[in-house]
């Protein structure tokens, strides 16, 4: 039987196709530009396909030790910061589900108040300085170990787990920490993966901390480096454009490389890992975002 297309379906599919195209086209443009000869891309518009296909932009990036150091810092802060954040937040959330825990209301308000009131950047800078976190790798980790929003999400999920599982384990002699590690965490993969995705994306994309609390070049993450490229290379790009118009070239290490093409390649390299990781967490993410939406 032939499927009949209604006017609404046609308009709906056209709208979704247009929306998908407008979402994907910036990535297509950036990829095409990053794979193009820098001078060619500067002198001729790029729409879908590269002009003067080359990998020189990526070669130049990975030959730069500063970029490699920044990439290592970003990977380390994402792995360590996300792992500690998820584990400590889950531990705190599990404690709040225990009926015998004294002062649960006080602890809840204790972590809630800082989530809506902050001292600002200058008090934070003074605090980090007194704690010895300025120009320290741990400035990327310690200030972000807890999140009230994430703790409440985890607590809501833990409360939905059958209490009989904990009671059975405790009858067999398991301590609260053993119950948490052997029963609660394995059953909580959807919420843990969801929080890990949120926090991992934050750590990977955070440029603010490296810009204002770190001055050592070797400790700056890749997003801070990318931000510097976006803000400081405009003069070089303008100089390269003027030089190309007069028939000369700007020395950027390779004749086919321009500041703009380097920025595009850096943007792809900085974004690609998160895009690759997301599909593996998607099945947990879909379950995790529904936490608390249905109440018995």
């Amino acid at each position: 039987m032939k499927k009949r297309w209604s006017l609404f379906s046609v308009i709906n599919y056209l709208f979704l196709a247009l929306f998908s195209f407008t979402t994907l086209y910036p990535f297509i443009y950036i990829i095409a530009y990053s794979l193009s000869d820098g001078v060619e891309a500067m002198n001729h518009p790029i729409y879908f396909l590269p002009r003067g296909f080359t990998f020189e932009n990526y070669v130049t990036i990975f030959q730069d030790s500063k970029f490699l150091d920044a990439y290592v810092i970003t990977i380390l802060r994402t792995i360590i910061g996300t792992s500690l954040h998820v584990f400590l937040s889950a531990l705190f959330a599990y404690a709040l589900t225990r009926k015998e825990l004294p002062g649960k209301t006080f602890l809840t308000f204790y972590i809630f108040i800082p989530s809506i009131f902050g001292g600002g950047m200058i008090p934070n800078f003074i605090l980090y300085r007194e704690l010895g976190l300025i120009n320290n790798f741990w400035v990327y980790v310690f200030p972000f170990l807890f999140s009230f929003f994430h703790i409440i999400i985890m607590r809501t999920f833990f409360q939905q787990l059958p209490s009989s599982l904990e009671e059975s384990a405790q009858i067999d002699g398991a301590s609260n920490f053993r119950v948490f590690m052997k029963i609660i965490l394995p059953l909580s993969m959807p919420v843990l993966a969801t929080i890990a995705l949120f926090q991992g994306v934050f750590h990977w994309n955070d440029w603010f901390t490296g810009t204002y609390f770190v001055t050592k070049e070797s400790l700056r993450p890749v997003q801070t480096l990318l931000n510097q490229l976006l803000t400081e290379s405009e003069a070089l790009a303008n100089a390269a454009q003027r030089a190309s118009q007069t028939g000369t070239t700007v020395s950027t290490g390779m004749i086919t490389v321009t500041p703009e093409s380097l920025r595009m390649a850096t943007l792809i390299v900085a974004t690609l890992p998160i895009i690759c990781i997301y599909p593996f967490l998607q099945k947990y993410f879909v379950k995790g975002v529904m936490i608390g939406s249905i109440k018995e």
Side-chain angles (χ1 to χ4, degrees), residues 190-251:
V191 68
L192 296 180
T194 301
I195 301 303
L197 181 62
F198 286 155
Q199 196 65 15
V201 170
F202 163 76
H203 275 291
W204 189 270
N205 292 333
D206 177 41
W207 61 270
F208 183 88
T209 306
T211 301
Y212 291 98
F213 303 118
V214 174
T215 58
K216 290 184 179 178
E217 291 286 343
S218 59
L219 286 178
R220 288 181 175 173
V222 69
Q223 299 298 344
T224 299
L225 184 62
L226 177 59
N227 181 64
Q228 291 175 347
L229 287 174
L230 293 174
T231 56
E232 296 176 1
S233 67
E234 290 298 330
L236 291 175
N238 294 333
Q241 187 173 7
R242 289 194 299 269
S244 66
Q245 292 172 352
T246 59
T248 59
T249 58
V250 176
S251 176

Side-chain angles (χ1 to χ4, degrees), residues 3-292:
K3 182 178 179 181
R4 299 183 60 183
W5 290 81
S6 65
L7 179 61
F8 173 78
S9 298
V10 173
I11 296 176
N12 192 35
Y13 279 112
L14 288 175
F15 172 77
L16 292 176
L18 180 62
F19 180 78
S20 301
F21 175 76
T22 56
T23 303
L24 293 174
Y25 180 72
F27 293 98
I28 297 173
Y29 173 80
I30 293 173
I31 292 173
Y33 204 116
S34 68
L35 294 173
S36 298
D37 180 290
V39 177
E40 285 288 326
M42 187 167 51
N43 294 328
H44 303 90
I46 292 178
Y47 300 104
F48 292 98
L49 298 178
R51 286 186 177 272
F53 183 87
T54 179
F55 287 107
E56 293 298 343
N57 297 310
Y58 293 97
V59 172
T60 304
I61 288 174
F62 286 107
Q63 285 179 344
D64 187 352
S65 60
K66 183 170 64 174
F67 178 83
L68 294 178
D69 291 341
Y71 215 75
V72 170
I73 292 295
T74 300
I75 293 174
L76 288 177
R77 72 166 291 187
T78 301
I79 295 175
I80 297 174
T82 302
S83 301
L84 289 177
H85 175 89
V86 171
F87 179 76
L88 293 178
S89 296
L91 199 62
F92 199 114
Y94 177 66
L96 293 180
T97 64
R98 308 303 302 169
K99 296 179 180 179
E100 64 273 17
L101 178 68
K104 285 197 302 182
T105 303
F106 170 77
L107 290 175
T108 302
F109 276 99
Y110 183 77
I111 62 174
F112 170 69
I113 297 300
S115 69
I116 57 176
F117 297 105
M121 189 173 70
I122 295 178
N124 282 341
F125 183 88
I126 296 173
L127 176 62
Y128 295 169
R129 185 186 61 189
E130 295 299 318
L131 294 176
L133 294 179
I134 302 299
N135 285 327
N136 191 318
F137 171 80
W138 295 106
V139 74
Y140 299 126
V141 178
F142 289 160
F144 311 109
L145 287 179
F146 290 95
S147 168
F148 174 77
F149 177 67
H150 294 169
I151 290 173
I152 296 303
I153 290 178
M154 290 184 178
R155 187 191 67 173
T156 303
F157 186 90
F158 295 159
Q159 288 175 338
Q160 295 175 356
L161 297 176
S163 58
S164 57
L165 294 175
E166 299 181 47
E167 294 170 359
S168 299
Q170 289 172 348
I171 290 175
D172 292 335
S175 62
N176 286 329
F177 186 74
R178 187 175 181 84
V179 171
F180 172 74
M181 295 296 296
K182 297 296 184 180
I183 297 178
I184 301 300
L185 289 185
L187 293 176
S188 305
M189 285 305 298
V191 68
L192 296 180
T194 301
I195 301 303
L197 181 62
F198 286 155
Q199 196 65 15
V201 170
F202 163 76
H203 275 291
W204 189 270
N205 292 333
D206 177 41
W207 61 270
F208 183 88
T209 306
T211 301
Y212 291 98
F213 303 118
V214 174
T215 58
K216 290 184 179 178
E217 291 286 343
S218 59
L219 286 178
R220 288 181 175 173
V222 69
Q223 299 298 344
T224 299
L225 184 62
L226 177 59
N227 181 64
Q228 291 175 347
L229 287 174
L230 293 174
T231 56
E232 296 176 1
S233 67
E234 290 298 330
L236 291 175
N238 294 333
Q241 187 173 7
R242 289 194 299 269
S244 66
Q245 292 172 352
T246 59
T248 59
T249 58
V250 176
S251 176
T252 57
M254 292 192 181
I255 196 170
T256 62
V257 174
T258 63
E260 186 68 17
S261 63
L262 281 179
R263 286 193 293 176
M264 296 299 182
T266 304
L267 186 60
I268 292 298
V269 174
T271 307
L272 190 61
I274 288 296
I275 296 177
C276 294
I277 291 174
Y278 180 78
F280 297 99
L281 298 177
Q282 185 178 13
K283 63 178 180 179
Y284 299 112
F285 179 76
V286 172
K287 296 178 183 178
V289 294
M290 297 299 294
I291 296 170

